[in-house]
Amino acid sequence: MKRKFLTLIGLGLVLTATGCGGSKTETNTVSVIEEENTSGSEIYVSFGDSEKFALHLYENETAEALQTFAAMDEWQLPIYHYDDYENWEVMQYYELPSKYEVPTNPEEVTSEAAGSVYFSEDNEILLFYKDAEVEGEFTPVGYFDYTDEFLDAVENNPVLEGWGNKLIHISA
């Protein structure tokens, strides 16, 4: 019951913030780690020119560092590889510049729920936008409320003309 309540509150905040409070959206919020482990903090991500989606952060040093850095510098991160690597159908990764030293505490992960976000020791943010079974050592960062609008924004993020890559925008 508490999980459904938190999910409804989170969805309501996202819909209110994006001006979509009156639309009917079927949600299926999923997360590898229970919502009770979130810090209540969020950063916001848009895919190309999509609306902003709240990334609910977990309580750990990695998530706190990402939030601090996003507050200092709004990021515009390119997605160089979006359809030519293993598991591209279920995940995307975004490389942070090397000037950001993000602490990690990786754990063995074998199954990821759609909307889950992790950080790798390669200074990459990993977004699983579909359920996946990808083995690796990742640090959990947070999760997105998984909706049809979220999936559409990730999958239909346009390739920038003349650049050959996609962009995401991250801000505090």
Side-chain angles (χ1 to χ4, degrees):
M1 181 72 170
K2 183 176 179 183
R3 181 181 176 109
K4 286 182 182 178
F5 180 71
L6 290 173
T7 299
L8 290 174
I9 289 175
L11 176 61
L13 291 174
V14 170
L15 292 175
T16 301
T18 60
C20 299
S23 69
K24 223 177 182 181
T25 304
E26 182 179 325
T27 62
N28 184 18
T29 302
V30 288
S31 171
V32 173
I33 298 177
E34 296 297 316
E35 281 90 343
E36 288 81 11
N37 291 331
T38 62
S39 64
S41 298
E42 299 172 336
I43 55 178
Y44 298 91
V45 180
S46 59
F47 303 89
D49 59 358
S50 77
E51 66 181 279
K52 291 183 178 183
F53 294 90
L55 171 56
H56 308 284
L57 299 173
Y58 295 132
E59 288 185 31
N60 63 41
E61 288 181 328
T62 305
E64 288 172 14
L66 291 175
Q67 183 179 32
T68 299
F69 293 141
M72 291 177 5
D73 298 321
E74 288 191 13
W75 290 325
Q76 181 170 292
L77 302 177
I79 308 169
Y80 295 110
H81 302 284
Y82 48 87
D83 65 358
D84 66 347
Y85 59 93
E86 188 176 356
N87 298 309
W88 68 270
E89 312 89 351
V90 296
M91 67 174 281
Q92 291 183 349
Y93 67 93
Y94 321 108
E95 295 181 20
L96 288 183
S98 60
K99 73 177 187 176
Y100 298 104
E101 293 185 25
V102 179
T104 61
N105 186 17
E107 55 188 57
E108 186 66 31
V109 178
T110 59
S111 179
E112 300 80 21
S116 297
V117 177
Y118 294 89
F119 194 79
S120 77
E121 290 183 327
D122 296 329
N123 231 31
E124 296 172 339
I125 298 171
L126 308 170
L127 165 62
F128 289 90
Y129 61 94
K130 292 185 180 175
D131 290 340
E133 292 190 17
V134 176
E135 293 186 29
E137 297 244 339
F138 310 125
T139 301
V141 172
Y143 67 94
F144 288 98
D145 292 322
Y146 192 76
T147 64
D148 291 338
E149 291 81 6
F150 170 77
L151 179 61
D152 183 60
V154 173
E155 289 185 326
N156 294 311
N157 184 357
V159 175
L160 288 175
E161 207 171 303
W163 289 84
N165 60 331
K166 300 178 179 189
L167 288 178
I168 65 163
H169 307 274
I170 302 175
S171 59

